[in-house]
Amino acid sequence: MKKILCSMAFLLTTAAVSSAQQNYSDDHQINPHGERVLSKGMVAMDNSGIFVPYEFTRHAVGDNNILIEIMYSGICHSDIHHVHEDWKTESYPLVPGHEIAGWIVRIGKDVAKFKVGDYAGVGCLVNSCGSCEYCLADQEQYCETARVLTYGSPDVFHGGEMTQGGYSNNIVVSEDFAISIPEGADLTKVAPLLCAGITTYSPLMQIGVNAGDKVAIAGFGGLGHMAVQYAVALGAQVTVFDITEEKRQLALDMGASKYANVNDPQQMEGMKNYFNTIISTIPASYDVKMYVDMLAIDGSLAFVGLSANKDVPSIDIATLIFQGRRNLFCSQIGGIKETQEMLDYSVANGIYPMVEIIEPSRIEQAYKDVIDGKVHFRYVIDMSNLN
Ligand code: NDP
Ligand code: ZN
């Protein structure tokens, strides 16, 4: 039944796309191949968290570029960190958004992977050098010479102009950095997979989680609820750690075998040296030692969540040595090849985020709700309603 509903939603979306496709062609006759692309979006002009409508241009559709009309754009907690300048001084105007799903309305002459009308997604990366050891190993996210992020990043391939993200009606990207959205995908839910999905899938694959492993997910939000679903799909026994009682049933419904509220000491008992794997998606300060103490020997703790600079959690070397042999590592999103693999796997197995679709005018309130823990589990902006 679920599959039938998804297919119906897909058919409806396809019908909507056909008429949108017509409008787009009409609108953009004034902007032929080779000229900069007109875009409109929602922009932050400073770190206040206020968004206003904004018109701007993007670089032209180059020979290996595609122009995507954006249908949906997810709100990641990283967007909030960026807009609030939690990590660095940002360059404004800033159009955030690195969880992008849409359809292709124009392609450059050398594009081989896509055709007009295909569905495509974009995550956190839009370019890299292509020749360093990381790029050659399909780990473009670690490219040290020319990594270009989807927004707020100088685009060295286009004169150093700052990139602008997916809270907008379109994006131009090299075909090498676009992800093909598989046929039959639920388009309303695909966008968050491009960041929340890959960021949790990648370390689980890196660790090599096996059926029966004891896996903990710390922070049950946008990233965390994807991590739970992947770990459950791999056959792991999954425990969720969060700071609220409210999400307990949702975690169990997603297949977790246990949910512990870290603020209740009783719920934290009996887990010393217990877990083979812990993925921390926590976006705030927290007690790292508490998690290290719960790792079994040779267990792995992957950090993907990151707080504002002012309260980054830490742990000292002595504590780690006294605890013994444990693997701690950090992970950033995933490479393009792995992102495609994740998306194919997620769609084939019906693994999607729980989303709430919102209008562009609700971004400000959505940011507040994410910070207050009120979102279940990802806000996705319907970009077709951009005015
Ligand atoms: P969300 O806000 O959606 O989820 C965070 C979750 O952590 C919420 O459920 C929150 O609870 C919970 N939480 C907060 N404090 C604690 C705590 N002390 N212990 C346990 N749980 C806690 O954020 P996202 O999932 O979108 O992002 C998570 C983090 O990952 C962010 O820091 C983001 O910047 C980072 N990130 C990193 C990437 C990478 O490549 N490494 C890529 C993408 C994101 P509540 O809802 O009740 O507040
Ligand atoms: Zn993100």
Side-chain angles (χ1 to χ4, degrees), residues 255-299:
S257 46
K258 181 172 175 172
Y259 180 98
N261 182 341
V262 297
N263 292 326
D264 178 354
Q266 269 192 339
Q267 293 182 35
M268 300 304 292
E269 284 172 5
M271 289 181 278
K272 189 164 167 48
N273 301 337
Y274 182 76
F275 293 107
N276 309 106
T277 294
I278 303 176
I279 309 282
S280 172
T281 75
I282 301 171
S285 187
Y286 61 98
D287 180 4
V288 179
K289 181 176 182 303
M290 183 180 88
Y291 290 103
V292 171
D293 287 348
M294 292 194 284
L295 269 185
I297 195 157
D298 284 334

Side-chain angles (χ1 to χ4, degrees), residues 77-78 81 220-223 242 247 281 283 304 306 331 333 373 378:
H77 205 120
S78 295
H81 283 311
F220 188 48
L223 268 60
D242 204 285
K247 297 185 205 165
T281 75
V304 294
L306 184 58
S331 186
I333 45 171
R378 209 42 147 197

Side-chain angles (χ1 to χ4, degrees), residues 100-116:
I100 298 167
W103 60 283
I104 298 172
V105 293
R106 191 181 309 158
I107 60 174
K109 72 176 176 54
D110 295 338
V111 167
K113 199 167 107 183
F114 296 103
K115 58 183 188 322
V116 169

Side-chain angles (χ1 to χ4, degrees), residues 62 65 179 194 212 244 285 289 317 322 361:
N65 290 173
I179 311 297
L194 278 306
T244 157
S285 187
K289 181 176 182 303
I317 299 282
F322 286 126
S361 58

Side-chain angles (χ1 to χ4, degrees), residues 46-337:
D46 55 35
N47 65 8
S48 64
I50 293 170
F51 281 86
V52 291
Y54 178 59
E55 293 199 349
F56 60 106
T57 63
R58 297 182 180 276
H59 68 73
V61 182
D63 292 343
N64 78 335
N65 290 173
I66 61 174
L67 172 61
I68 299 175
E69 179 162 321
I70 299 175
M71 298 162 71
Y72 296 104
S73 195
I75 295 181
C76 176
H77 205 120
S78 295
D79 299 342
I80 300 173
H81 283 311
H82 277 291
V83 167
H84 290 171
E85 298 191 297
D86 284 345
W87 294 330
K88 65 180 178 72
T89 304
E90 298 291 340
S91 169
Y92 300 97
L94 179 69
V95 178
H98 58 211
E99 296 184 337
I100 298 167
W103 60 283
I104 298 172
V105 293
R106 191 181 309 158
I107 60 174
K109 72 176 176 54
D110 295 338
V111 167
K113 199 167 107 183
F114 296 103
K115 58 183 188 322
V116 169
D118 286 351
Y119 295 109
V122 179
C124 300
L125 289 170
V126 290
N127 228 325
S128 73
C129 82
S131 54
C132 72
E133 67 174 295
Y134 302 109
C135 288
L136 293 175
D138 295 313
Q139 300 287 307
E140 303 88 353
Q141 73 275 32
Y142 302 126
C143 171
E144 286 182 335
T145 50
R147 183 178 80 162
V148 184
L149 299 175
T150 305
Y151 64 84
S153 180
D155 185 346
V156 292
F157 300 93
H158 294 93
E161 68 182 56
M162 295 304 278
T163 53
Q164 299 289 12
Y167 297 2
S168 57
N169 65 338
N170 61 25
I171 189 163
V172 184
V173 63
S174 156
E175 67 165 334
D176 298 334
F177 286 79
I179 311 297
S180 172
I181 297 178
E183 201 171 321
D186 184 340
L187 288 166
T188 59
K189 296 180 178 169
V190 159
L193 295 172
L194 278 306
C195 175
I198 184 60
T199 303
T200 49
Y201 177 91
S202 184
L204 289 168
M205 292 299 134
Q206 175 73 25
I207 291 165
V209 170
N210 291 310
D213 281 2
K214 299 181 184 87
V215 173
I217 308 300
F220 188 48
L223 268 60
H225 89 299
M226 291 314 306
V228 169
Q229 294 184 71
Y230 291 129
V232 167
L234 291 167
Q237 274 181 53
V238 179
T239 298
V240 173
F241 294 107
D242 204 285
I243 49 175
T244 157
E245 281 303 316
E246 198 211 336
K247 297 185 205 165
R248 180 178 297 276
Q249 191 56 47
L250 287 166
L252 301 179
D253 292 347
M254 280 178 205
S257 46
K258 181 172 175 172
Y259 180 98
N261 182 341
V262 297
N263 292 326
D264 178 354
Q266 269 192 339
Q267 293 182 35
M268 300 304 292
E269 284 172 5
M271 289 181 278
K272 189 164 167 48
N273 301 337
Y274 182 76
F275 293 107
N276 309 106
T277 294
I278 303 176
I279 309 282
S280 172
T281 75
I282 301 171
S285 187
Y286 61 98
D287 180 4
V288 179
K289 181 176 182 303
M290 183 180 88
Y291 290 103
V292 171
D293 287 348
M294 292 194 284
L295 269 185
I297 195 157
D298 284 334
S300 297
L301 168 51
F303 299 95
V304 294
L306 184 58
S307 72
N309 287 348
K310 62 181 171 46
D311 49 14
V312 176
S314 62
I315 186 164
D316 66 85
I317 299 282
T319 302
L320 290 177
I321 292 174
F322 286 126
Q323 178 66 1
R325 200 172 60 204
R326 288 356 184 233
N327 306 306
L328 276 67
F329 71 100
C330 301
S331 186
Q332 279 179 24
I333 45 171
I336 296 301
K337 186 173 171 217

